[in-house]
Amino acid sequence: LEDNLQKIQKELQELRQSQELLRQINERLVTVVGDNNLFLEPSLVELLEKSNFSIKSQTDIGGATTPTFYHATGTGTGTGSASSPASINASPSSSSPSSPAIARSSFSRSNEILDTTGLSTSAEDARRIREQRKNIATETLKSERTYYTNLANVVEVFLIPLRKAVDSRAPIIGKEDIKKIFYQFEVIHGYSKTLLARLEERMKDWSDSQLLGDIFLEMADFLRSYSLYINNYTTALQTVSACSKLPAFLKFVQSEAIVSRCGKMQLSDYLIMPIQRIPRYILLLKDLVKNTPTTHLDYENLTRALAKISQVAEENNQVQLDIENISKIFSLQARVNTRLYEPQRMWLSEGLLYNIDLQKKRVRQREVHIMSDLLLIVKASSDKAHLEHSISLGSIFLVDDQINKSIAQDPESIRKICAKTGVSLNSGFRVVMFSGIMLFCASSIPQRDLWIQELKKAVENHKNNSKDQQ
């Protein structure tokens, strides 16, 4: 029994040594096969020789996978000296020029195999992938640092002062309003702080074998806070909109303390950041997975983390679409200082068009917004915006490209006015309402056709929805 125990302990020790050896090989493997040669780091060749590894590769000949064994050039301890990379020459059963390139290689010892399928096919490609992986990891860290800074702004500049004011004799907004606006925000802020610290720690000692997947895999388990935040987001925006009518709150958000730290960023601009963050994590993880060999120790955790976070995003997909619509409405509402938000109203599209004023005989560029029940014409400048026209889609009965029919009384003067501003009537269209006609010109004929299509669709959907509600 004692002999058997010693034997088992010896085998366990050898297994641990083999596992450590495989780990070292995985870290130090540089390239795979190209033109019937396998190029390895000199130190790796020496490591393989000491460990009695055989080196083999598989070639696909005539549709069948045939193993072909290779031997190192030269023998003895001198092989793989540090002066130059060692080359393992191939001697395949078929050496004709038409033989397919080697598709797969592996290092084997007994029944232990280190598969290198996922690695690059050349030294240059391998170097490029390693460099790209490092760049993406660096970008991930920078992105999280910027994100955390913005979250900290909300906590330190908005949340904490508002809470302190509640405890004073002059509250800016009520305690319940603060809860509605910042629900789950501190939880997300706290986890971003932890994530940033862990990423910074890993990036200090970066190497090709460094791991990040475990960090994101753990993070995926905390995304419930994001889901709760996303579901509350509309309530938060509605509360901000309501509080913006209070003089004390307006004075607070326009104070020097906030403007000096946040610039032109408004509270609503910060509140949407956690919602935008999950898609950003997915993009970063996709890039990391793409530039991580399948044999890398980080690959499995990265792919699992990507799958988990993608699942959370999918579950919240419809809510996020609704949020994007609502956010655009609230953003425009703040710019034009006119109430636009209604529970059933949806933002559809926006863009720049030239509006032709027949009475004043002038052409002006305007923002045009199509909503589920409104057509909005906005005069915008760099620092402010003014809502010129708000047209109910129910009042529109015709949208077409027959703009010439509407300028028939004085076509030449209208064409001259348009020519001065570089506008072509060929890309024009008209919107006919019960109260009058509005003329627009797009940047091109294809753009004109898209505008007509979008507006017609919106008008038709609005009329159908109105009939259903009756």
Side-chain angles (χ1 to χ4, degrees):
L1 182 61
E2 187 174 340
D3 290 341
N4 287 335
L5 181 59
Q6 289 177 353
K7 185 178 180 182
I8 291 172
Q9 288 176 337
K10 183 179 179 181
E11 289 178 350
L12 282 173
Q13 185 178 1
E14 290 180 353
L15 179 59
R16 290 192 188 99
Q17 290 174 348
S18 296
Q19 289 174 335
E20 174 61 19
L21 182 62
L22 286 171
R23 186 190 68 76
Q24 293 180 39
I25 292 171
N26 190 46
E27 288 181 4
R28 295 159 67 180
L29 187 60
V30 175
T31 65
V32 201
V33 178
D35 299 327
N36 289 338
N37 283 292
L38 184 63
F39 295 97
L40 309 175
E41 279 185 350
S43 59
L44 180 55
V45 173
E46 185 177 353
L47 184 66
L48 290 168
E49 288 177 342
K50 287 180 180 179
S51 307
N52 298 320
F53 266 72
S54 61
I55 304 174
K56 68 179 182 178
S57 180
Q58 296 174 343
T59 50
D60 188 19
I61 301 173
T65 302
T66 305
T68 305
F69 290 84
Y70 295 78
H71 62 280
T73 303
T75 58
T77 57
T79 303
S81 63
S83 60
S84 63
S87 173
I88 299 175
N89 296 321
S91 301
S93 57
S94 173
S95 59
S96 65
S98 60
S99 298
I102 298 172
R104 178 181 178 133
S105 67
S106 63
F107 299 94
S108 64
R109 179 183 185 183
S110 302
N111 61 343
E112 302 163 3
I113 293 179
L114 175 64
D115 188 6
T116 62
T117 306
L119 294 179
S120 172
T121 56
S122 72
E124 178 59 28
D125 285 346
R127 184 203 61 77
R128 179 185 58 78
I129 288 177
R130 289 197 303 273
E131 189 65 27
Q132 184 67 5
R133 176 176 157 80
K134 180 181 178 181
N135 291 341
I136 296 166
T138 302
E139 172 60 27
T140 302
L141 175 61
K142 289 180 180 178
S143 176
E144 191 63 31
R145 188 178 290 132
T146 301
Y147 177 55
Y148 171 72
T149 300
N150 286 321
L151 296 182
N153 282 345
V154 175
V155 173
E156 296 167 13
V157 179
F158 292 97
L159 178 55
I160 292 176
L162 286 172
R163 276 183 178 160
K164 287 182 177 179
V166 168
D167 298 330
S168 70
R169 296 180 180 179
I172 299 170
I173 58 175
K175 194 172 183 179
E176 287 302 314
D177 287 334
I178 294 174
K179 286 182 179 180
K180 289 177 182 177
I181 294 172
F182 301 103
Y183 179 67
Q184 293 293 317
F185 199 93
E186 285 178 294
V187 177
I188 293 172
H189 167 259
Y191 194 75
S192 177
K193 182 179 181 180
T194 302
L195 176 60
L196 177 60
R198 295 191 67 186
L199 289 173
E200 286 178 332
E201 182 182 1
R202 297 285 176 92
M203 291 302 295
K204 282 180 183 177
D205 301 314
W206 181 261
S207 68
D208 294 342
S209 60
Q210 186 59 278
L211 307 178
L212 295 176
D214 59 315
I215 297 177
F216 285 100
L217 193 58
E218 290 176 20
M219 184 197 76
D221 295 329
F222 287 87
L223 289 181
R224 181 173 176 272
S225 297
Y226 277 86
S227 297
L228 294 172
Y229 182 85
I230 289 170
N231 289 328
N232 180 72
Y233 179 74
T234 301
T235 299
L237 282 188
Q238 290 172 343
T239 307
V240 170
S241 180
C243 290
S244 297
K245 298 175 183 178
L246 303 175
F249 186 76
L250 278 176
K251 183 180 179 181
F252 169 71
V253 297
Q254 294 170 0
S255 66
E256 180 62 26
I258 291 179
V259 173
S260 62
R261 183 158 172 178
C262 303
K264 294 183 179 181
M265 292 280 288
Q266 299 180 12
L267 178 56
S268 57
D269 297 327
Y270 286 109
L271 292 178
I272 199 172
M273 288 182 179
I275 293 168
Q276 298 169 330
R277 192 60 188 164
I278 292 181
R280 180 62 176 156
Y281 283 136
I282 291 173
L283 289 175
L284 289 169
L285 281 171
K286 281 183 177 178
D287 281 344
L288 276 172
V289 170
K290 181 180 178 182
N291 290 279
T292 300
T294 57
T295 52
H296 198 290
L297 295 177
D298 206 23
Y299 187 81
E300 182 180 354
N301 280 342
L302 284 174
T303 53
R304 288 173 61 196
L306 176 59
K308 272 194 170 185
I309 297 175
S310 297
Q311 183 179 357
V312 172
E314 183 65 28
E315 290 170 356
N316 291 288
N317 187 48
Q318 186 55 51
V319 178
Q320 285 186 277
L321 289 175
D322 293 341
I323 284 172
E324 288 176 11
N325 275 280
I326 293 168
S327 297
K328 288 182 179 293
I329 294 175
F330 273 105
S331 176
L332 181 59
Q333 177 174 288
R335 289 177 61 216
V336 300
N337 196 26
T338 303
R339 177 179 172 81
L340 295 174
Y341 174 76
E342 296 293 342
Q344 301 303 319
R345 180 170 292 157
M346 298 295 289
W347 177 91
L348 300 178
S349 61
E350 66 178 354
L352 293 175
L353 289 172
Y354 289 96
N355 174 225
I356 301 173
D357 189 330
L358 291 177
Q359 291 183 342
K360 297 181 180 181
K361 292 186 178 180
R362 63 184 182 184
V363 179
R364 304 162 300 175
Q365 191 176 57
R366 293 291 182 259
E367 284 184 17
V368 179
H369 300 259
I370 303 176
M371 301 205 178
S372 55
D373 62 335
L374 294 175
L375 177 65
L376 305 177
I377 316 299
V378 176
K379 178 183 179 181
S381 60
S382 58
D383 57 344
K384 59 183 179 180
H386 170 66
L387 181 60
E388 284 189 336
H389 301 282
S390 177
I391 303 164
S392 170
L393 296 188
S395 68
I396 299 174
F397 64 87
L398 181 63
V399 180
D400 64 20
D401 60 359
Q402 301 300 307
I403 192 172
N404 289 331
K405 293 182 179 179
S406 297
I407 64 170
Q409 293 182 348
D410 193 6
E412 290 305 315
S413 61
I414 298 298
R415 290 184 187 278
K416 287 180 181 179
I417 294 169
C418 290
K420 287 181 181 180
T421 54
V423 176
S424 172
L425 288 175
N426 292 332
S427 59
F429 66 97
R430 61 178 182 168
V431 178
V432 184
M433 306 159 287
F434 295 113
S435 58
I437 299 174
M438 295 196 76
L439 306 181
F440 298 98
C441 284
S443 58
S444 64
I445 292 176
Q447 282 294 311
R448 175 204 67 188
D449 294 341
L450 284 174
W451 274 100
I452 292 175
Q453 179 182 343
E454 286 290 321
L455 195 47
K456 278 184 173 181
K457 183 179 177 181
V459 170
E460 186 65 26
N461 287 340
H462 174 68
K463 289 180 179 178
N464 292 335
N465 291 334
S466 298
K467 289 178 182 177
D468 294 337
Q469 293 173 4
Q470 290 176 356

